[in-house]
Each structure stands twice: as C-alpha cells, then as structure tokens.
Amino acid sequence: MKKIQLKPHSLTYADRIFALTSAPEVKNALGLHVDTVDNTIDFLQAVMQEEMEGKTVSRAIFNEFDDLIGITTLMFIDKEKKSCSLGTWIGHSYWGQGYNIASKYAILQIAFEELHLERVFIGARLVNKRSQHAQKKLPFVTWHVEADYPDVHAALEEKEKQACLLNVVHRADFPLNRSAHTDDISDSQAVVRDASIKRNES
C-alpha cells in the first residue's frame, strides 16, 4: 500500500524537480527542454500563476517518506464544459511502485469533489507505451474517445506535435470519497468496471 500526499508548489522545490526531470528516462518521456534550474523555476512560477487564474491545479507528489517524487497537474480547466486534462510524471527511481496510481486517485478527487468537474481527459503519445500501460491499470478510464471529443484530441496532438490517443475519466465512473491508496483499487474495481461497460454500451 502506497501513501502519497499532494502539496502546492513552492520555488524551494526547484532543485529537486530539476534533478528528477534531468533523468533521461523522464526527460525523454515528457519531451522536456529543461536545461537549468532557472528553467524549472520559470516553470513553477508559470504554473502557480495559472493556478491563480483558475486555469490549472498542479501539485507536487510526496511519498510516504516525505520525498518529492513527481508532479500531477489538472490542465486546461474549463468550468463551463466542466472538463480538464490530466498529466502526471513520476521520477524514474520511483517507477513501478504504485505511486502513479495513488497520485491519480488523489488528483481526481480534487477534480471531481473540489472543482466539480464532470470529465477529466488523459492523453498519451502513441510512442509512449509506458504511459499507456500505466493508464490501463486504472479501472475507471474510458479508452479511445478521440471520435467523441475531436477538438480535445486535436488540441492534444497539436500540443505534443505527434500522434496521440485520448482517454477520459467520467465523474460517474470514479469512486469518490476514497483515500489515495492503491488498496482502494481492488475494493472498487468491479463496480467501476461495470459502470464503464454500461457507459460504453450506451
């Protein structure tokens, strides 16, 4: 069981974030062009400004030892359409340990409970098989909604400058009021899968 905590950004995190994103595995997966700590500071300042404007909710992910291990972000928040997009990255040395799933549960709680959104889009580059594999572990994700939301899909591919797939989490399919622990998944998986199947059949 993994316990994580999401914390608002601070410029004091810049050195740690820069170190994590400098790992080739993370840098290449995200397509980052961050070469100095100053670039990371600029990123943090931009994210915090976007949050003040209501466009973004971004949080640093801390593990059970209070180590900063990654970032998860609700982007392109549209209060009229009640939707946003979600992006998460985890430091390479923490891959495969359940932190990605735990952070998804935590940030989606914010999206649905605090922001009262109805859907959260999760994209992935077609070449990023690891990201796709990670999303398949989430029982509440509806896959391949490119045809249902062509404008969102087009914007994603424009942002990434390459072919992408588009998935979505609907509020109705997500188990609200649950803690962000990986052991929640087994308790809710059957119920959520049934809801997803019914939605796809409708």
Side-chain angles (χ1 to χ4, degrees):
M1 179 177 69
K2 293 297 182 183
K3 297 181 180 180
I4 60 96
Q5 184 177 3
L6 302 185
K7 299 182 182 182
H9 285 300
S10 166
L11 295 182
T12 61
Y13 300 159
D15 286 338
R16 172 63 173 170
I17 292 172
F18 177 70
L20 291 172
T21 56
S22 295
E25 295 85 355
V26 175
K27 193 170 186 177
N28 294 336
L30 298 177
L32 292 178
H33 302 285
V34 179
D35 300 316
T36 68
V37 174
D38 287 340
N39 296 144
T40 301
I41 292 174
D42 290 342
F43 160 77
L44 290 171
Q45 289 176 327
V47 166
M48 289 188 283
Q49 178 62 37
E50 288 182 356
E51 182 150 355
M52 291 178 61
E53 297 169 356
K55 300 176 181 177
T56 294
V57 171
S58 186
R59 296 289 181 264
I61 305 167
F62 286 78
N63 67 5
E64 63 269 45
F65 306 109
D66 205 33
D67 298 322
L68 195 164
I69 63 170
I71 291 176
T72 186
T73 304
L74 301 173
M75 306 169 285
F76 313 120
I77 297 172
D78 189 323
K79 294 182 179 178
E80 290 186 3
K81 295 182 179 180
K82 295 186 176 181
S83 67
C84 73
S85 296
L86 170 59
T88 303
W89 63 263
I90 302 291
H92 179 244
S93 61
Y94 303 97
W95 286 6
Q97 300 178 41
Y99 292 116
N100 180 62
I101 294 175
S103 65
K104 288 289 197 300
Y105 267 81
I107 196 69
L108 286 169
Q109 292 283 355
I110 293 175
F112 296 129
E113 286 198 330
E114 297 183 20
L115 301 181
H116 307 292
L117 302 179
E118 292 296 330
R119 64 190 63 84
V120 177
F121 296 102
I122 308 179
R125 299 176 180 182
L126 290 184
V127 297
N128 192 342
K129 302 302 181 183
R130 185 174 189 87
S131 177
Q132 295 173 44
H133 179 71
Q135 291 184 37
K136 287 180 178 178
K137 295 180 180 180
L138 303 173
F140 41 75
V141 173
T142 299
W143 275 73
H144 291 297
V145 296
E146 298 88 356
D148 296 327
Y149 304 97
D151 54 336
V152 177
H153 184 227
L156 174 63
E157 293 194 326
E158 173 63 25
K159 175 178 176 290
E160 298 296 333
K161 305 300 181 184
Q162 58 185 282
C164 299
L165 60 82
L166 182 68
N167 305 320
V168 67
V169 180
H170 295 282
R171 177 188 177 90
D173 295 340
F174 183 74
L176 291 171
N177 298 315
R178 306 293 298 226
S179 61
H181 299 166
T182 54
D183 62 345
D184 284 338
I185 297 172
S186 59
D187 295 335
S188 61
Q189 188 168 16
V191 173
V192 176
R193 184 183 293 112
D194 287 344
S196 298
I197 290 172
K198 289 178 181 178
R199 178 176 294 277
N200 290 333
E201 289 177 346
S202 61

